[in-house]
Amino acid sequence: QVQLVESGGGLVQPGGSLRLSCAASGIIFRLYAMAWYRQAPGKQRELVAAIISGGNTNYADSVKGRFTISRDNAKNTVYLQMDSLKPEDTAVYYCNAPMPPRDYWGQGTQVTVSS
């Protein structure tokens, strides 16, 4: 059974940093792309960043240059380093493992950027 467990969310001031982690189990982690999504109140869930098995990455324009996605295949974990956080980054952040025809999701972790 595939499980994704996020951690690392919290309250941070504008300009601050947080690192999210997502620990995966039940999959051969190194073979799969992984992604981070977020959903703010009243808005649709949106892709934040993705990393393929080979390590190539892509980012939403709104986070380019501020967020970094990485993975540690030995630990079955994907990370999202978030720097220079802005109030508009406030959202629930979800880890995603796309494995067609199924999509697997974590439970989400709240990130709040506020002074």
Side-chain angles (χ1 to χ4, degrees):
Q1 183 176 355
V2 178
Q3 276 196 314
L4 303 174
V5 180
E6 301 104 333
S7 61
L11 173 64
V12 63
Q13 291 188 340
S17 297
L18 282 174
R19 188 175 82 153
L20 306 183
S21 300
C22 171
S25 59
I27 61 173
I28 305 175
F29 180 80
R30 69 181 186 279
L31 299 180
Y32 293 101
M34 298 292 295
W36 286 97
Y37 283 73
R38 67 186 180 187
Q39 188 166 19
K43 295 189 176 181
Q44 287 190 327
R45 192 172 295 191
E46 62 174 356
L47 176 66
V48 175
I51 183 166
I52 66 172
S53 58
N56 285 356
T57 58
N58 70 282
Y59 297 92
D61 287 344
S62 59
V63 307
K64 279 181 183 175
R66 300 188 299 120
F67 290 12
T68 303
I69 189 171
S70 61
R71 64 191 298 157
D72 185 337
N73 289 338
K75 295 183 178 180
N76 285 8
T77 300
V78 61
Y79 303 99
L80 185 67
Q81 178 67 41
M82 304 185 294
D83 299 317
S84 302
L85 282 160
K86 304 175 181 181
E88 51 264 44
D89 295 317
T90 295
V92 178
Y93 284 71
Y94 296 92
C95 181
N96 169 254
M99 288 188 274
R102 294 196 60 177
D103 251 342
Y104 293 94
W105 297 91
Q107 80 285 357
T109 185
Q110 177 70 47
V111 172
T112 302
V113 185
S114 174
S115 54

